Amino acid sequence: MSIYTVASRYAKSLLGLSQEQGNVDAVKADIEQIIAVIQANSQLQTVLKNPIISADKKYAILTALFDGKVNPLILSFFSILVKKGRGDLLLDIAQEFIREYNEAKGIVKATVVSATALSENNLNNLASKIANEINAQVVLTNTVDPSLIGGFVVRIGDRQVDASIAGKLNKLEKFFVNQGV
């Protein structure tokens, strides 16, 4: 079974449990915190992936890190994960949980790459226009790539809209090459 399939099943289970208990938003906030901690700590990632370290030891480490800081449901979930030998997939499962949560709430993540940083007003206007186009709530992040020269590139899932000067110049170059000019 692929990592994605396993992560998706566990994430859906956690999402379903948190929905039943009526604390989905709190669990999501805790999961975001857990993702940040795991990504920032390579030693924790190594411990979780090490098959030699016992499940009890892994759970004790997770409990020491997160007890009293996250919803008890999450700690119970950790217990199940490590006992089933899936501690190595904790980060993947947490990230999949966020994706599942966003899908359930109709939230779409998008990225806009621009030659210079966009103002908060421009980001909000662009997010609003994208939201109207795709009929979903949009969380837009901005990254800067000076090689675009001007304009921007918007990525939503597997779709991309290139409205950059560099992109237009590349299209123009390909046109001339195909025309034999």
Side-chain angles (χ1 to χ4, degrees):
M1 204 177 309
S2 76
I3 291 172
Y4 171 77
T5 304
V6 173
S8 179
R9 287 182 180 175
Y10 278 102
K12 286 178 183 175
S13 297
L14 180 59
L15 183 63
L17 282 170
S18 61
Q19 286 171 333
E20 285 177 16
Q21 294 183 359
N23 57 3
V24 179
D25 294 327
V27 170
K28 182 216 177 228
D30 290 344
I31 292 292
E32 287 174 334
Q33 176 188 357
I34 291 164
I35 289 171
V37 169
I38 294 172
Q39 287 177 334
N41 191 334
S42 61
Q43 289 176 331
L44 178 59
Q45 292 177 36
T46 303
V47 166
L48 291 172
K49 291 180 186 225
N50 191 334
I52 296 172
I53 298 174
S54 71
D56 292 336
K57 183 73 173 171
K58 289 178 184 180
Y59 181 67
I61 291 168
L62 291 170
T63 302
L65 285 172
F66 299 112
D67 192 25
K69 297 175 185 151
V70 298
N71 190 302
L73 170 68
I74 295 173
L75 288 176
S76 298
F77 185 72
F78 286 167
S79 174
I80 293 168
L81 281 179
V82 295
K83 285 178 184 172
K84 296 269 187 188
R86 299 294 189 184
D88 59 326
L89 299 177
L90 182 59
L91 180 59
D92 297 307
I93 292 166
Q95 291 170 330
E96 182 62 17
F97 176 88
I98 299 298
R99 195 195 68 72
E100 294 280 343
Y101 172 90
N102 287 341
E103 186 177 304
K105 294 281 188 174
I107 300 170
V108 176
K109 290 193 175 196
T111 304
V112 61
V113 182
S114 57
T116 59
L118 297 176
S119 70
E120 200 63 36
N121 189 35
N122 285 340
L123 277 175
N124 290 337
N125 287 338
L126 186 56
S128 174
K129 288 181 182 187
I130 293 170
N132 288 337
E133 278 297 313
I134 64 173
N135 199 23
Q137 182 181 348
V138 175
V139 176
L140 189 62
T141 56
N142 181 213
T143 57
V144 176
D145 181 1
S147 70
L148 293 180
I149 304 169
F152 57 87
V153 177
V154 176
R155 290 186 188 102
I156 307 167
D158 61 352
R159 293 181 286 172
Q160 176 174 306
V161 176
D162 189 346
S164 68
I165 292 174
K168 291 178 182 180
L169 289 173
N170 286 336
K171 287 178 190 172
L172 190 59
E173 178 184 25
K174 287 179 185 176
F175 173 77
F176 284 134
V177 168
N178 290 339
Q179 297 300 317
V181 179

